[in-house]
Amino acid sequence: MNIPSITIGAGHGANGLGSAVQVLLLITLITLAPSLVIMLTAFTRIIVVLGFVRSAIGIPQTPPNQVLTGLAIFLTFFIMTPTMNTINNTALQPLMANKISQGEALNRAQVPIRAFMFKQVRESDLSLMVYAAREARPRTQADVPTLVLIPAFILSELHTAFQIGFMIFLPFLIIDIVVSSALMAMGMMMLPPTTISLPFKLLLFVMVDGWHLVVQSLILGFH
């Protein structure tokens, strides 16, 4: 049985070198794809908020990590669909049709992603990263380097996620305080308050349709 061989850049001259560079860029993109999905999209905010929900209820293993990660991924694709469609129409399809070069496709693909990040980034975080990078004060969004915009965007997403997490924790914290005070008043100090408060927190979360409210706030939060 003969095993077919694969030769990268089999051609001579510029064509062979171009093929090798294309394969190298493709492998690099595949390697960085998980990081790009996590850092340049809505995934960071979503997964942090979902983690806060699970911790606030008091059941750290339910839903399992696979369920939360899967939900976060699909919500990310749902939120990022307009951006991905723009990238596909303006960069990917022209590149596949050989109408533009790879460099031009990369520049076009950055435009909708940068527009999405600029809508979510806080001015204070952006100013911090511009100052830390020792960049000149930008006058327009086009003057902000992408390598400065990305960490500012991540900081803003974490800030927003923790704000949402605090609002989620607050009602469950009140339940814990009430249950703990009631147990102390009855002299049942040896009984763990979490054992009694957990059913009440689950009841509250189910009655207000908690998952619906959380997902709704996440989706509508990306303006």
Side-chain angles (χ1 to χ4, degrees):
M1 179 178 179
N2 295 327
I3 300 177
S5 60
I6 300 176
T7 304
I8 299 177
H12 299 283
N15 291 334
L17 181 60
S19 299
V21 171
Q22 290 180 2
V23 173
L24 179 61
L25 291 176
L26 180 61
I27 295 175
T28 303
L29 181 61
I30 294 175
T31 303
L32 296 177
S35 299
L36 294 177
V37 171
I38 291 174
M39 297 303 176
L40 305 185
T41 63
F43 182 85
T44 300
R45 183 191 303 186
I46 294 173
I47 193 65
V48 171
V49 170
L50 294 180
F52 269 117
V53 171
R54 187 172 63 178
S55 299
I57 297 175
I59 40 178
Q61 301 300 327
T62 305
N65 291 331
Q66 294 84 346
V67 174
L68 290 187
T69 304
L71 177 59
I73 290 175
F74 280 103
L75 286 177
T76 300
F77 280 117
F78 178 80
I79 293 171
M80 299 299 298
T81 294
T83 302
M84 291 188 295
N85 288 339
T86 304
I87 294 174
N88 180 63
N89 296 331
T90 60
L92 183 59
Q93 293 301 325
L95 177 62
M96 295 178 64
N98 295 323
K99 295 181 179 179
I100 59 176
S101 64
Q102 293 178 353
E104 179 65 21
L106 181 60
N107 292 332
R108 291 188 180 185
Q110 290 184 36
V111 175
I113 295 179
R114 284 170 57 91
F116 171 79
M117 289 192 290
F118 271 118
K119 290 180 180 179
Q120 314 304 327
V121 71
R122 297 191 306 161
E123 184 177 351
S124 59
D125 293 327
L126 189 59
S127 300
L128 170 64
M129 299 313 302
V130 170
Y131 174 78
R134 301 179 184 273
E135 295 283 345
R137 183 176 181 179
R139 296 184 178 180
T140 63
Q141 292 183 354
D143 297 333
V144 179
T146 303
L147 292 180
V148 173
L149 176 61
I150 292 175
F153 168 75
I154 297 172
L155 287 177
S156 299
E157 288 297 281
L158 290 175
H159 175 81
T160 304
F162 272 71
Q163 283 184 325
I164 299 174
F166 172 77
M167 299 303 297
I168 292 173
F169 254 101
L170 197 56
F172 297 108
L173 178 61
I174 294 175
I175 293 178
D176 284 332
I177 293 175
V178 171
V179 171
S180 179
S181 300
L183 291 177
M184 291 185 64
M186 292 185 296
M188 304 174 63
M189 292 177 292
M190 301 301 296
L191 182 64
T194 54
T195 304
I196 305 301
S197 63
L198 179 58
F200 291 100
K201 290 190 287 187
L202 289 175
L203 179 62
L204 172 66
F205 194 72
V206 171
M207 289 183 60
V208 300
D209 199 1
W211 289 114
H212 175 86
L213 293 178
V214 170
V215 171
Q216 181 183 20
S217 64
L218 286 172
I219 294 176
L220 298 181
F222 289 95
H223 46 77

